[in-house]
Amino acid sequence: MARTHRLHTTTWLPLPRDEVFPFFADAENLAAITPPELAFEIVTPTPIDMRPGALIEYRLGLFGVRFGWRTEITAWEPPYRFVDQQIEGPYRRWHHTHTFVEAAGPDGEPGTQMDDVVRWELPLWPLGEVAYPAVRAQLARIFGYRQRRIRELLIG
């Protein structure tokens, strides 16, 4: 049985949830928050109707290897949460929950807390687990970049 790993990041933005969620409702914005070296591109014709059952195909590269990734939106509950799940791609399992909660920031200022929780499994278990430290570090770097870019794009 493959081992399930978990990544959780939190980003707080000094904006109301109704201004934050629409940025994520536009799948084209995913390219803007993905590190450039991943050469991310959406293959599915845009605009994409975000809803349960929506399928989105991407192409990206890692360490010089190009690959496809296909996800399905399995939950769509604007402006509170949505879930995308890998159908085809580099992981054995990828389940990404995005939640948006109105919350006070560190100084009590109103805003939105955005949480990303990814549950993922590596392919080729148990051999694939050898790559776990490198994959975990890469995902932490990608999601760190994502947090910085979201803040830059939404609040400047």
Side-chain angles (χ1 to χ4, degrees):
M1 176 83 127
R3 181 172 168 211
T4 300
H5 304 284
R6 184 175 182 269
L7 171 75
H8 180 189
T9 62
T10 298
T11 306
W12 185 82
L13 300 162
L15 298 168
R17 177 175 50 203
D18 289 341
E19 289 181 28
V20 173
F21 192 89
F23 179 83
F24 296 90
D26 183 349
E28 292 179 73
N29 286 328
L30 190 51
I33 61 173
T34 302
E37 67 272 13
L38 295 180
F40 179 90
E41 63 178 308
I42 295 176
V43 176
T44 302
T46 56
I48 296 169
D49 179 21
M50 298 292 276
R51 59 176 169 64
L55 300 176
I56 308 171
E57 290 193 42
Y58 319 93
R59 299 270 314 146
L60 42 137
L62 189 59
F63 306 119
V65 177
R66 297 285 295 162
F67 57 91
W69 194 335
R70 186 175 198 202
T71 62
E72 177 181 2
I73 302 299
T74 58
W76 185 253
E77 302 164 15
Y80 307 103
R81 74 187 275 271
F82 69 97
V83 177
D84 61 89
Q85 187 167 308
Q86 174 188 286
I87 295 174
E88 296 173 23
Y91 295 90
R92 177 182 174 134
R93 176 177 180 237
W94 177 272
H95 185 272
H96 184 177
T97 302
H98 313 249
T99 58
F100 304 82
V101 176
E102 291 179 344
D107 62 357
E109 181 182 7
T112 300
Q113 177 178 309
M114 185 186 80
D115 286 285
D116 288 291
V117 176
V118 180
R119 289 179 175 78
W120 52 282
E121 296 173 3
L122 292 166
L124 306 173
W125 191 88
L127 297 176
E129 286 299 310
V130 171
Y132 170 72
V135 175
R136 181 188 64 206
Q138 180 74 351
L139 286 176
R141 192 185 67 70
I142 290 168
F143 275 80
Y145 177 92
R146 173 186 169 95
Q147 287 179 298
R148 287 187 303 278
R149 286 294 292 152
I150 288 167
R151 290 186 63 77
E152 288 171 5
L153 293 167
L154 294 181
I155 59 176

